[in-house]
Amino acid sequence: MLTPVLDSASPMPLYEQIYRHIRREIESGALPAGSRLPSKRALAAHLEVSVVTVEGAYGQLLAEGYLRSEPKRGFFVRTPELAGPRQPFSAPYHPPVPTAPSSGALEYDFATNAVDTVHFPFSTWAKLMREVLSQQDSDLLSSPPPQGVPELREAIVRYLHDFRGIQASAEQVVVGAGSEYLTSILLQLLGQDGGWAVEDPGYRKFYRILSHAGTLACPIPLDGQGMRTDALHWSGARVAHITPSHHFPLGTVMPVARRQALLAWASEAENRYLIEDDYDSEFRYDGRPIPALQSLDTRERVVYMNTFTKSLAPSLRIGYMVLPPHLLERYQKEFLFYSSTVPSFEQYTLARFLSRGHFERHIRRMRNTYRLRRDSLLAAAKAAGITRLGRFSGAEAGLHLLFRAPGGPSEEELVQAAARAGVGVYPLSYYCLTPPEPDHVPTLMLGYARLEPEDMAPAMRRLYAAWSPLFRSRETQA
């Protein structure tokens, strides 16, 4: 029987203490693949804790891919799964842009690039700005260090340690004006030869940045666990850009077996790297956030990257990356001639916002706000009859849902019918970098960050009224 030593006086919740103990046992090999874990009730009785506490620990391990659950049998340590059958890598192409609704004519816009700025803590931010003005004096008029002011980098490191499981020093952090600037630095630091792998479907802007820089961008197909390592080997790419904690747009959470497979790929050659884009990891609604891939890296193969675009506001153009020590050494030798691209004023303000706990409280509030909007959307869709036309997925994290309509009308038909009804929804194919397979299921993306809960019911009724004739027509034709 598992017997972690639990400390009820620790600030760490009991479920997390159990989760960490079991995870260490699995990673060390003490619990080999296929091992059966005690039932939730049995372990709860053994440890003298509630069943809910054990459920929380098992739920987190399931989400991260350390365990699998078999109905009526129990929980087992997951066996690393092999990737799907090999397929030859096809050269990238410039994908067409599918028709999208005009936002000016939409009464309800489920845009996926929107965030809620109404609940931004303006009064707190303004107070901190006044403090910085009165206390920093001439520091605000001097050029900040190229990597960012030390106060901000130290606050970022503390946050990453506490919430993402990342062990790093403030010296490893480079602050810049968004992911585009940081990517341009990485292109020079890592080199453009050999090709850079990107997820397909995936973040189109990153693909376009690479293409415009003259870098060979290699779209890599995904399966249910994330980027396929067999296709990555076939591509010949040397750097891979991935979103393991919450893939955009599919919402996949990469299990530990696939993470380890990617780390193994990166370790096979001296100049291979993984760029971990953790852009919206804060918004996970079930369990604690998934630890970053960087926390598993023991060979200095992972560059961690994040921004405050989703968590605070798009206009706050502050991003950062955490460089492995050997890359940091080269960066400091060759790239410190670049000036900082973020004003000192904003850096000092954000540093105080982070270090005094305001950021954590804001994320907690916004997580509750977005959860309410997600739940309202799903409830309204069911009440309106949308769930009879297709199914929703991706509700566990992020700021959008996927709506899949197997055998239904095309994405183009659904998007345009919704637009005529004053509702904006968006095709998944917009994020595909290669032509969809013939059996591609029409899939739409509905972002809920900016709409209020009371907007969901009328929007869903309009969608049902616009879509149901298309489905009936298709059934008649069949």
Side-chain angles (χ1 to χ4, degrees), residues 424-455:
V425 296
Y426 298 84
L428 177 65
S429 56
Y430 178 82
Y431 295 95
C432 293
L433 304 176
T434 54
E437 298 293 332
D439 58 351
H440 171 74
V441 175
T443 304
L444 303 178
M445 302 172 63
L446 283 77
Y448 49 82
R450 193 170 289 175
L451 292 175
E452 296 295 336
E454 56 267 25
D455 294 329

Side-chain angles (χ1 to χ4, degrees), residues 51-347:
V51 175
V52 173
T53 298
V54 178
E55 283 180 345
Y58 279 14
Q60 187 67 22
L61 291 162
L62 284 167
E64 294 181 25
Y66 285 94
L67 299 183
R68 57 183 170 85
S69 174
E70 295 186 10
K72 298 183 180 181
R73 292 197 62 207
F75 297 90
F76 297 83
V77 176
R78 187 172 187 142
T79 303
E81 299 178 12
L82 296 176
R86 286 176 177 260
Q87 295 182 5
F89 173 75
S90 58
Y93 86 123
H94 296 287
V97 180
T99 305
S102 173
S103 59
L106 300 176
E107 188 171 350
Y108 304 103
D109 189 1
F110 289 93
T112 59
N113 62 350
V115 299
D116 183 317
T117 55
V118 174
H119 291 85
F120 182 83
F122 289 101
S123 59
T124 300
W125 191 263
K127 178 182 177 182
L128 295 177
M129 291 174 68
R130 289 192 295 269
E131 278 189 20
V132 170
L133 278 172
S134 63
Q135 296 176 13
Q136 296 299 138
D137 298 325
S138 59
D139 289 345
L140 297 177
L141 303 179
S142 303
S143 296
Q147 287 184 231
V149 300
E151 289 90 336
L152 177 55
R153 289 186 281 126
E154 289 165 3
I156 288 173
V157 164
R158 286 193 296 271
Y159 170 77
L160 292 177
H161 173 269
D162 292 344
F163 294 95
R164 305 300 294 123
I166 291 177
Q167 301 286 343
S169 68
E171 190 71 9
Q172 292 173 248
V173 176
V174 178
V175 175
S179 59
E180 293 91 341
Y181 168 78
L182 296 174
T183 300
S184 70
I185 294 293
L186 284 177
L187 280 169
Q188 299 174 70
L189 183 62
L190 302 180
Q192 300 183 45
D193 58 299
W196 285 41
V198 295
E199 296 167 324
D200 183 20
Y203 186 46
R204 286 173 62 96
K205 181 178 285 189
F206 191 84
Y207 175 88
R208 295 180 66 184
I209 290 172
L210 297 180
S211 299
H212 280 281
T215 305
L216 174 62
C218 307
I220 305 297
L222 311 177
D223 59 19
Q225 298 186 21
M227 180 178 281
R228 284 178 38 190
T229 52
D230 63 328
L232 182 59
H233 278 96
W234 272 95
S235 73
R238 190 176 54 79
V239 179
H241 177 271
I242 54 176
T243 54
S245 292
H246 180 241
H247 174 265
F248 182 87
L250 297 182
T252 306
V253 176
M254 186 180 291
V256 67
R258 182 59 53 84
R259 295 177 185 225
Q260 290 171 341
L262 286 170
L263 287 169
W265 168 84
S267 299
E268 290 173 2
E270 186 177 347
N271 60 348
R272 285 183 181 173
Y273 293 95
L274 299 168
I275 300 176
E276 178 181 14
D277 192 335
D278 213 25
Y279 76 105
D280 73 347
S281 59
E282 295 87 0
F283 300 115
R284 178 170 175 78
Y285 307 112
D286 301 314
R288 65 193 296 273
I290 304 297
L293 172 69
Q294 196 268 5
S295 67
L296 301 175
D297 180 25
T298 59
R299 302 287 298 275
E300 299 187 12
R301 299 290 98 190
V302 177
V303 176
Y304 178 90
M305 183 183 294
N306 206 340
T307 75
F308 294 95
T309 300
K310 290 282 188 181
S311 55
L312 286 177
S315 63
L316 191 67
R317 300 295 300 165
I318 302 181
Y320 60 92
M321 60 183 175
V322 180
L323 296 176
H326 74 281
L327 285 180
L328 172 67
E329 183 178 354
R330 182 166 164 239
Y331 169 84
Q332 292 183 332
K333 285 181 180 178
E334 301 180 23
F335 296 95
L336 287 184
F337 67 89
Y338 280 101
S339 299
S340 175
T341 52
V342 181
S344 298
F345 187 29
E346 293 181 4
Q347 292 195 50

Side-chain angles (χ1 to χ4, degrees), residues 388-389 407 468-478:
R388 295 197 295 271
L389 307 178
S468 55
L470 298 178
F471 281 85
R472 285 196 297 269
S473 174
R474 196 170 186 86
E475 291 173 358
T476 302
Q477 293 174 5

Side-chain angles (χ1 to χ4, degrees), residues 285-286 369-379 394-398 401 448 456:
Y285 307 112
D286 301 314
T369 297
Y370 291 141
R371 182 188 288 112
L372 175 60
R373 294 178 183 182
R374 177 205 64 181
D375 292 347
S376 299
L377 191 160
L378 290 172
E396 298 82 8
L401 295 172
Y448 49 82
M456 303 303 179

